[in-house]
Amino acid sequence: MAEDLCISNGGKAEKYQTLLPQIKNLIEGENDLIANLANVSAALKETFGFFWVGFYLVKGEELVLGPFQGPIACTRIRKGRGVCGTAWAKAETLVVPDVDAFPGHIACSSLSRSEIVVPLIRENGKVWGVLDIDSENLNTFDETDAHFLGEICSLL
């Protein structure tokens, strides 16, 4: 499998539509979770140029930092804390246009201005991790991101 990524020059939806089958091919046949999470975070960062893209994995009552692309990050987040912990507790995607307006936001970087967190949910409904993406700009994420990132997470 070639590790080169074909990146669309179109709009956001077109970029996701081009990326989705590539991610499917990238992780197909690879059963190592860490390898797949690492490649998915790299593909998203390379395609969209987001400030930070990564995964946190549920370990007991905390989310623990997993594979990511970007500056160093918070290592552990308690359930219900910050955007990641809240998305985990609610088992729902959170789109935060302005992180400074989110009660209890955990600022791993002062440069982060908006965020989206998508829970990784098993068939039994249990959350096993989250995909966290930060932007240096306000209002970066919307329902298009939520939809396609949800599809990407369902592949994992």
Side-chain angles (χ1 to χ4, degrees):
M1 199 312 340
E3 281 80 19
D4 291 331
L5 207 56
C6 176
I7 299 173
S8 167
N9 290 326
K12 184 189 290 191
E14 187 177 323
K15 284 183 179 184
Y16 279 117
Q17 289 165 344
T18 302
L19 181 61
L20 194 58
Q22 294 180 85
I23 286 178
K24 283 181 188 175
N25 288 333
L26 188 63
I27 65 177
E28 186 176 78
E30 177 53 65
N31 61 6
D32 188 274
L33 177 65
I34 300 304
N36 286 334
L37 297 180
N39 271 333
V40 169
S41 61
L44 287 165
K45 176 116 169 90
E46 190 173 333
T47 298
F48 293 98
F50 295 131
F51 176 66
W52 195 92
V53 179
F55 292 91
Y56 284 91
L57 305 176
V58 173
K59 308 249 179 174
E61 287 302 306
E62 294 180 308
L63 290 170
V64 178
L65 182 64
F68 71 93
Q69 297 281 313
I72 61 170
C74 300
T75 305
R76 296 178 181 271
I77 299 171
R78 288 194 316 262
K79 191 171 192 176
R81 297 248 3 254
V83 182
C84 289
T86 302
W88 172 25
K90 292 183 173 187
E92 65 184 42
T93 297
L94 295 180
V95 176
V96 181
D98 180 354
V99 295
D100 291 333
F102 188 89
H105 175 255
I106 300 168
C108 295
S109 170
S110 60
L111 297 176
S112 177
R113 302 299 314 276
S114 62
E115 185 171 3
I116 186 169
V117 178
V118 182
L120 302 163
I121 303 175
R122 288 193 168 89
E123 288 179 11
N124 66 4
K126 244 184 125 102
V127 176
W128 59 272
V130 298
L131 167 61
D132 179 21
I133 304 179
D134 294 3
S135 172
E136 292 176 293
N137 302 307
L138 293 170
N139 301 304
T140 298
F141 307 104
D142 57 24
E143 288 306 311
T144 299
D145 299 287
H147 170 77
F148 284 105
L149 293 171
E151 280 194 46
I152 290 167
C153 287
S154 73
L155 298 173
L156 300 166

